Amino acid sequence: MGTSRPGAFAVGTAVVGTCIAFGPVFGVPSNPCFVGSALYALGVRSSAEAFGLPWTESGITDTGVTAGYVFASCALLSAYGGASWSLGARLRPLLGRAARLGSPSPEAIAAHLR
């Protein structure tokens, strides 16, 4: 897809990236967003960018920036990135059993750290 229709691939990637970015802000549970973001970035990195290959070809200097997105998503997941500043924090009490998909409440994080 990336080589046969690069314009469609670029637009699709932009749309998915925007949805991933706005998801936790607008109430989508943050944990699936962070995991999905990491998997999507890894998928783009491995397929469209081919991990920056071929490294032996002259002029190849960019190994890709999406590896940073994988690390950032994993860091947000482990740092409870959606715990406070997202609509998910307000919706958490209304989700019932599905609340575990989002980040824990700040009170639960503080209790866990004690």
Side-chain angles (χ1 to χ4, degrees):
M1 175 77 178
T3 56
S4 65
R5 302 186 80 184
F9 183 76
V11 169
T13 300
V15 168
V16 170
T18 301
C19 290
I20 288 171
F22 284 131
V25 173
F26 290 114
V28 175
S30 58
N31 290 348
C33 279
F34 297 146
V35 171
S37 172
L39 291 175
Y40 183 73
L42 188 61
V44 168
R45 176 98 171 114
S46 64
S47 61
E49 294 183 8
F51 291 110
L53 296 174
W55 294 324
T56 58
E57 202 171 297
S58 63
I60 300 293
T61 58
D62 183 19
T63 59
V65 298
T66 55
Y69 292 119
V70 174
F71 293 123
S73 295
C74 292
L76 285 168
L77 179 66
S78 64
Y80 308 115
S84 297
W85 299 311
S86 71
L87 187 58
R90 298 274 187 202
L91 295 176
R92 188 181 303 113
L94 304 173
L95 293 176
R97 291 178 62 192
R100 63 190 169 121
L101 293 175
S103 292
S105 67
E107 295 81 20
I109 295 169
H112 176 71
L113 295 176
R114 288 184 201 162

